[in-house]
Amino acid sequence: MKRVGILALQGDFEAHRKALELAGGAETMEVRTAGDLASVDGLVIPGGESSTMLKLLDIEQLFDPLKEFGHRKPILGTCAGAILLARGVSNPPQASLGLMDISVERNGYGRQLDSRVTEITPEEEFLRRAGGGKMEAVFIRAPIIKTVRDGVTVLARYRGAPVLVEQGRHMAATFHPELTGDPRVHRWFLDKL
Ligand code: GLN
C-alpha cells in the first residue's frame, strides 16, 4: 500500500490525516524530518501560517529535501501549503518551493475571507472524474492565486479566481478540503501516488 505523509511542523495536519483516511487507499504518516520524507510516496502540506512553516523548515533543514522531494513525488498544498508550493509569493514576498507555476498573494481576499464557508462549483473536468456536484469550501485568511502559467489546470474557481489547481503531480487548494468531509480533493491527490 502507498504511504502518504503529512508535513506536521505546524498547522492543521491532524485534519488532513483524517481526511486521507476517509478518502482511503493509502497509509498516512506524519512527517517531521528528512528521514520521514524518504519513506513516503506523496506529501500533504497543510494550512497554517506559511511564514512560520518556512522558519520551521529552515530550523529542521527540511527546505531543500522538500524541494527535491517535489521534483520526484506528488505534493498537495492547502492554503499555507499552496503558498509554499507557488513560484511567486507577495504580500509580503517570501521564499517558496517554486514547484508550481502559480503566483499567490497572501491574505489576498482581505478581511472578506478571514473565515468563510461557501460553495464552489468545480470545473467540468473535475466533476467528470471525481463525480458529485458543488463543493463546500472553507476559506481562512486564504491566499489568492493571481496568475497561473501554461501547464497549470484550474479545477475550481471562486469569484473568478482559481482556488483548486493542478500541475503534473502537484495540487494546490486555497481553501481547506480537509475540514468538510468531502473526500474528492484528497482522492484526486491519492490517484497521483
Ligand atoms: N494566511 C496564512 C498565510 O499567509 C494562510 C492561512 C491558512 O493556511 N489558513 O500563510
Side-chain angles (χ1 to χ4, degrees):
M1 197 187 244
K2 297 278 187 181
R3 188 184 287 157
V4 56
I6 307 134
L7 188 67
L9 298 178
Q10 193 260 344
D12 71 337
F13 50 88
E14 186 54 37
H16 272 291
R17 182 196 269 272
K18 293 200 181 104
L20 287 162
E21 277 160 13
L22 181 72
E27 281 176 20
T28 59
M29 173 184 156
E30 291 179 2
V31 167
R32 295 191 173 81
T33 64
D36 293 342
L37 206 51
S39 57
V40 296
D41 303 297
L43 184 76
V44 175
I45 306 181
E49 195 56 43
S50 56
S51 53
T52 307
M53 269 188 222
L54 274 174
K55 281 186 198 130
L56 296 171
L57 286 175
D58 196 38
I59 292 167
E60 302 298 329
Q61 297 184 316
L62 256 177
F63 188 88
D64 289 334
L66 202 53
K67 195 165 171 162
E68 201 271 325
F69 179 88
H71 289 139
R72 295 176 291 112
K73 303 269 175 71
I75 301 180
L76 163 65
T78 60
C79 208
I83 297 170
L84 289 181
L85 283 177
R87 189 164 300 284
V89 181
S90 61
N91 190 34
Q94 67 185 21
S96 56
L97 298 166
L99 291 167
M100 292 185 76
D101 290 317
I102 57 175
S103 67
V104 301
E105 182 185 338
R106 294 179 63 198
N107 306 307
Y109 294 94
R111 301 304 304 268
Q112 317 166 51
L113 286 197
D114 267 4
S115 178
R116 163 176 298 212
V117 186
T118 188
E119 264 187 351
I120 57 174
T121 304
E123 302 288 307
E124 278 300 317
E125 184 187 342
F126 185 87
L127 293 177
R128 204 166 43 238
R129 255 180 62 199
K134 286 186 169 34
M135 180 178 279
E136 204 179 2
V138 179
F139 290 95
I140 306 168
R141 289 167 47 79
I144 186 163
I145 298 178
K146 289 289 207 185
T147 57
V148 297
R149 297 249 195 94
D150 287 354
V152 177
T153 304
V154 177
L155 299 173
R157 294 176 189 270
Y158 174 65
R159 294 184 178 163
V163 293
L164 178 65
V165 295
E166 72 174 342
Q167 182 177 19
R169 63 178 80 84
H170 303 311
M171 286 179 83
T174 60
F175 59 98
H176 290 265
E178 74 283 9
L179 296 180
T180 46
D182 181 335
R184 287 178 289 170
V185 171
H186 289 86
R187 270 198 195 128
W188 191 280
F189 176 65
L190 290 173
D191 279 348
K192 294 177 178 295
L193 296 187

